[in-house]
Amino acid sequence: MAAQEQALSTRSIEAGVYHTRQDPQCRLCKDTPETVQHIVAGCKMLAGTAYTEKHNQVAGIVYRNICAEYGLEVPKSKWETPPKVVENGRAKVLGLEVPDRQAVAG
């Protein structure tokens, strides 16, 4: 809730509201004011790795929940790579295509 209300102490809030900082620019990219929106979805320094990792974590949770709901084998850990296809008489679930970490980071 606090993030939606822009109530987190970002550099932009510290500069514009609290007046405890002069520079509101993002500490990572230094191009844009550091707001919650910028950190969560707009910083080019986070775009290649952090956003992809967060997306893959959410996709893994959804995948495991769907498998559990339809009585399919659920991966034992979040690090286990799911099979390409899992199916039974009730459902067919396609595995996640997770990019190679080296390719994403490099």
Side-chain angles (χ1 to χ4, degrees):
M1 195 64 140
Q4 292 177 345
E5 297 170 6
Q6 295 286 316
L8 296 176
S9 187
T10 62
R11 286 188 169 193
S12 182
I13 294 292
E14 290 172 0
V17 177
Y18 302 135
H19 306 292
T20 57
R21 172 180 301 280
Q22 289 186 347
D23 181 17
Q25 298 305 92
C26 174
R27 67 192 82 201
L28 296 174
C29 72
K30 310 209 184 328
D31 289 339
T32 306
E34 184 182 274
T35 62
V36 171
Q37 176 68 24
H38 174 73
I39 294 167
V40 171
C43 183
K44 66 184 180 185
M45 299 301 287
L46 296 172
T49 56
Y51 299 148
T52 301
E53 190 65 31
K54 181 171 51 172
H55 170 273
N56 291 345
Q57 288 173 358
V58 171
I61 292 167
V62 170
Y63 177 84
R64 286 190 297 280
N65 287 339
I66 290 172
C67 287
E69 176 72 25
Y70 288 96
L72 297 164
E73 184 178 344
V74 179
K76 293 176 182 66
S77 80
K78 65 182 181 179
W79 305 113
E80 184 180 333
T81 302
K84 292 201 181 287
V85 179
V86 177
E87 62 184 306
N88 62 17
R90 297 177 59 203
K92 179 178 183 178
V93 180
L94 303 178
L96 303 170
E97 290 292 326
V98 179
D100 181 6
R101 288 178 188 245
Q102 295 295 333
V104 172

